[in-house]
Amino acid sequence: IEIINEGLVEIRVPKFDKVSSSAPVFYNPKMEFNRDISILALQTFQEEIEREISICDVFGGSGIRAIRYKKEIDEVGLVSVNDISSLAIEQSKQNALNNNVEIDIYQKEANIILRENRGVFDVVDIDPFGTPSYFVDSVGYSLKKDSLLCITATDTSALCGTYKEPCIRKYNAVPFKSEYCHENGIRILAGFVSLTLAKYKKYIEDIKLSHSSEHYMRLYIKINKGSKATDDSLACNIGYISHCKKCLYRTAVKGLANPIPGFCPVCGEKLISAGPLWIGKLQNPDFISKMIQKLDEDNSNRKKLNTEDNILKLLYSCFEESNAPITFYDIHVICKNLKISAPKIADIMDEIKKEGYIAVKTHFNPIGVKSDIGIVRLKEIINSLV
Ligand code: SAM
């Protein structure tokens, strides 16, 4: 048994050599960052909806996430933790007891607990091994109006398009392995959620925060209900991204019924298309600034989180990119395409901004620049700086 201190709780998990799905009870210390952000996001959501929130951690593992939700979030009501493994359930019971926390503990298959509790939870947290795709239909059935879906995917190679077929099988979308494939991956997951929920007349009201970090992607999605709003949301936010491998031109195409362009308007090459995927916003700047404020204002009278500096770095980046256009330019990829060595990114961004375009960095890639400038003008600017 190993004792772990994280946030305000202390939990015990059986000691094991390697973090993997075959560990007797799953606890991943690397996900402390993810759990810390989740607590901040759920607290911010609770304050936005101004009522007590009930939460279900559908894939509980050691129970640490649910116990922390109960202990560290204000105005939290019922917290439920579920896991299919008996050992995980035993551990969750023991850990809840040791932390003096009352939570409801279930041992059910994830789809069953979701379907048996339709309209019960304000927040549903989906953190499985690998893909969450097998559970999204039940999420759609279960979620209520004005709720928050927190969803993690660790099958990033499928979402990023390392191999096409697994992504088509799991997410019914064609991926594209490009320099911005992590953004595409998050968009494919959000698109899949949006399209799956649509049959229940539920829709993504907005994505409060989304990020790709280490081996996973995570989204915080506000869900609402209504057939007209669902239709409108699909029409505005679902589409395709078309990309030219030869000259790096890219464009987003709105709607499932609209024609996808076949050839590049810049160089005439055949375009490659990824989707259907979410082409709407991936970040909500108001929500993110509230999360940032929370860390700032709380600073004096609380224990600093181990991951706080990294959280702030991520949140500032997500805030910055919240109003930037879809996809981003990877300066090194463009310079390779131009067969030149790369000028300083800061200089390129200054020149883009001088011309009145947006130029912001992105958390997806340290050498990525999000901008509304077209590829042709951007290449001219880069060439002029060499
Ligand atoms: N959320 C946990 C945390 O933050 O520490 C980690 C969860 S771990 C990635 C996934 C857990 O899901 C494992 O404990 C596993 O036993 C459980 N699990 C796997 N398949 C399941 C299913 N179909 N229904 C319910 N639980 C499942």
Side-chain angles (χ1 to χ4, degrees):
I1 291 279
E2 197 174 356
I3 296 177
I4 288 150
N5 283 287
E6 201 187 281
L8 301 181
V9 309
E10 182 182 287
I11 64 144
R12 285 152 197 261
V13 285
K15 216 174 177 151
F16 52 90
D17 294 339
K18 199 169 156 263
V19 176
S20 85
S21 56
S22 52
V25 172
F26 189 85
Y27 168 77
N28 186 353
K30 275 196 179 164
M31 293 301 254
E32 178 174 1
F33 175 70
N34 176 308
R35 287 183 285 268
D36 287 346
I37 294 180
S38 300
I39 287 160
L40 208 53
L42 266 57
Q43 184 69 74
T44 306
F45 173 70
Q46 183 280 317
E47 284 163 24
E48 276 196 350
I49 63 168
E50 295 179 317
R51 63 165 193 261
E52 201 178 75
I53 51 170
S54 63
I55 307 171
C56 183
D57 181 8
V58 183
F59 300 84
S62 64
I64 186 162
R65 188 177 285 269
I67 295 169
R68 289 194 63 191
Y69 285 168
K70 184 71 185 177
K71 200 147 187 167
E72 297 178 35
I73 299 174
D74 296 333
E75 298 295 321
V76 70
L78 186 74
V79 174
S80 307
V81 62
N82 176 71
D83 203 287
I84 205 163
S85 135
S86 346
L87 213 56
I89 293 304
E90 269 321 300
Q91 212 72 46
S92 294
K93 278 186 188 155
Q94 207 50 55
N95 283 326
L97 208 64
N98 293 344
N99 284 283
N100 225 351
V101 152
E102 258 185 52
I103 51 176
D104 283 2
I105 301 178
Y106 296 93
Q107 184 180 5
K108 297 192 183 236
E109 203 284 323
N111 287 292
I112 306 287
I113 184 145
L114 287 166
R115 286 188 183 260
E116 284 180 352
N117 289 279
R118 186 179 201 185
V120 171
F121 307 117
D122 295 297
V123 178
V124 168
D125 199 319
I126 301 289
D127 180 25
F129 295 131
T131 181
S133 70
Y134 318 123
F135 311 106
V136 177
D137 217 305
S138 301
V139 163
Y141 177 84
S142 190
L143 279 177
K144 66 176 179 193
K145 187 170 167 260
D146 273 329
S147 56
L148 187 75
L149 167 64
C150 313
I151 187 163
T152 306
T154 59
D155 59 333
T156 51
S157 67
L159 286 161
C160 289
T162 307
Y163 304 102
K164 254 189 197 167
E165 289 74 14
C167 186
I168 295 172
R169 271 200 313 269
K170 295 190 259 185
Y171 299 102
N172 310 147
V174 181
F176 171 48
K177 182 92 187 121
S178 65
E179 56 275 26
Y180 52 87
C181 63
H182 285 81
E183 179 177 331
N184 262 2
I186 282 201
R187 292 186 180 282
I188 286 176
L189 177 54
F192 179 72
V193 168
S194 166
L195 288 163
T196 308
L197 264 56
K199 68 182 103 158
Y200 300 101
K201 298 179 188 150
K202 293 176 194 171
Y203 66 97
I204 295 182
E205 186 178 287
D206 68 342
I207 299 178
K208 298 293 187 190
L209 169 72
S210 59
H211 62 106
S212 165
S213 304
E214 300 193 31
H215 65 293
Y216 66 93
M217 294 170 183
R218 172 94 163 156
L219 293 100
Y220 298 85
I221 306 175
K222 171 88 188 291
I223 304 295
N224 228 321
K225 242 174 127 173
S227 48
K228 170 80 171 66
T230 300
D231 296 342
D232 293 348
S233 171
L234 294 185
C236 293
N237 296 308
I238 297 294
Y240 291 85
I241 293 176
S242 294
H243 181 96
C244 176
K245 267 190 168 172
K246 190 171 166 202
C247 77
L248 308 176
Y249 164 86
R250 73 285 308 265
T251 188
V253 187
K254 205 187 255 191
L256 287 178
N258 293 331
I260 304 169
F263 295 94
C264 176
V266 175
C267 73
E269 184 77 4
K270 198 167 181 295
L271 292 173
I272 299 168
S273 291
L277 44 69
W278 179 262
I279 55 166
K281 299 269 179 222
L282 286 178
Q283 318 287 354
N284 178 322
D286 287 346
F287 190 86
I288 296 172
S289 63
K290 284 182 201 156
M291 288 177 72
I292 294 172
Q293 261 171 26
K294 212 161 260 313
L295 283 180
D296 285 347
E297 80 198 17
D298 283 348
N299 235 342
S300 49
N301 49 13
R302 66 169 172 86
K303 187 178 140 202
K304 190 178 169 188
L305 298 168
N306 296 328
T307 65
E308 194 152 324
D309 295 342
N310 287 339
I311 293 181
L312 278 171
K313 203 169 144 210
L314 174 73
L315 291 180
Y316 279 122
S317 191
C318 292
F319 177 83
E320 275 239 304
E321 63 193 82
S322 58
N323 284 319
I326 207 160
T327 82
F328 58 86
Y329 295 111
D330 179 320
I331 300 304
H332 288 179
V333 171
I334 297 179
C335 291
K336 202 170 159 206
N337 181 272
L338 291 170
K339 300 189 174 64
I340 55 172
S341 54
K344 281 198 185 125
I345 295 177
D347 293 345
I348 300 171
M349 289 174 71
D350 283 346
E351 289 303 313
I352 298 174
K353 283 191 249 180
K354 265 191 216 159
E355 298 197 6
Y357 296 105
I358 299 169
V360 293
K361 292 225 170 187
T362 168
H363 84 280
F364 287 113
N365 182 340
I367 46 168
V369 176
K370 277 190 165 281
S371 177
D372 49 349
I373 194 169
I375 186 71
V376 176
R377 184 67 198 132
L378 178 58
K379 282 182 174 174
E380 285 168 1
I381 288 178
I382 294 176
N383 262 323
S384 75
L385 286 170
V386 175

